[in-house]
Amino acid sequence: MTRLLLALVVLVAGCQTAPPEATALSFAFVDARSQLRLVTTQEQDSLGTTVFFGDDAFTRPPSVLVGNWLQDRAGTALAGKRVELKELKVQVFQPAAGNSSLASGPAPLPMPVDAAGSGRSAVVGSLLAPVVIDYIARRSRSSLVSARIEATVDGVPVVGLSRQSLTGHIAGDDIHQVLFEALDDLSRDAGRL
């Protein structure tokens, strides 16, 4: 699971499709997050593993990313206002495999007896079933990728949300898409004020 954490940190750090650095913002922008999560962490419990992305997972500080995104998407509507970033959470939750690992020894899949009636197919089946079950569980397990951004515009709360349930391997582009959707959602909400 540590490999998952490292791979995801590297993948999120490569946010290459974000808008270019803005030279100046048309609004006052303050990073007012009360609990800065500076380091990416991983928590594991009986339900599964959650990776929480910290500021170290971004090539630019999240405050710069959010400020530039808002300038690019809603700068005209925000001109002269005060925007405070209150929270930015990006995380991936991968549920636990449950009883499908080799160590737990799940019941084998039923296998038919071969034509000669020797039952060799059943023996082979009982040896391969845990591997097959584990492989299917890993391939079919859904992971939840989510992003939540909270801010205020002149004291009025605005929120950007996005989440996707993805099956199989999660790539950096999947995480980028969820983050960018949350940033777009925040920009739409802020632009309405």
Side-chain angles (χ1 to χ4, degrees):
M1 202 47 81
T2 302
R3 277 190 254 158
L4 170 70
L5 173 65
L6 293 174
L8 292 176
V9 169
V10 170
L11 293 172
V12 171
C15 288
Q16 299 300 323
T17 58
E21 297 278 343
T23 54
L25 300 178
S26 63
F27 51 89
F29 186 83
V30 177
D31 187 350
R33 293 178 290 165
S34 60
Q35 296 178 346
L36 293 177
R37 187 178 288 273
L38 300 176
V39 179
T40 299
T41 59
Q42 176 178 300
E43 294 178 8
Q44 192 165 3
D45 59 23
S46 62
L47 298 176
T49 302
T50 305
V51 177
F52 299 95
F53 294 100
D55 288 7
D56 63 335
F58 296 86
T59 54
R60 292 178 278 160
S63 59
V64 173
L65 177 64
V66 173
N68 289 344
W69 200 280
L70 287 171
Q71 178 63 40
D72 185 57
R73 303 290 200 285
T76 305
L78 296 175
K81 297 182 178 180
R82 178 182 171 90
V83 177
E84 292 187 12
L85 177 61
K86 298 292 189 179
E87 181 177 28
L88 187 143
K89 287 184 180 177
V90 179
Q91 62 190 46
V92 175
F93 171 73
Q94 185 175 44
N99 292 330
S100 64
S101 68
L102 289 173
S104 65
L109 294 173
M111 299 292 279
V113 174
D114 62 14
S118 69
R120 191 171 359 177
S121 294
V123 171
V124 172
S126 68
L127 294 174
L128 295 179
V131 175
V132 172
I133 291 171
D134 186 53
Y135 175 76
I136 291 170
R138 281 187 282 129
R139 297 284 295 166
S140 63
R141 214 173 329 148
S142 291
S143 296
L144 180 64
V145 180
S146 62
R148 179 181 181 86
I149 307 166
E150 296 179 14
T152 59
V153 177
D154 285 345
V156 178
V158 291
V159 178
L161 300 169
S162 180
R163 77 171 81 184
Q164 287 187 16
S165 180
L166 303 168
T167 302
H169 176 73
I170 297 172
D173 288 345
D174 299 323
I175 299 168
H176 296 163
Q177 181 180 352
V178 171
L179 175 59
F180 297 159
E181 287 173 2
L183 286 163
D184 282 341
D185 192 37
L186 180 73
S187 298
R188 281 190 298 274
D189 201 16
R192 291 186 194 115
L193 300 178

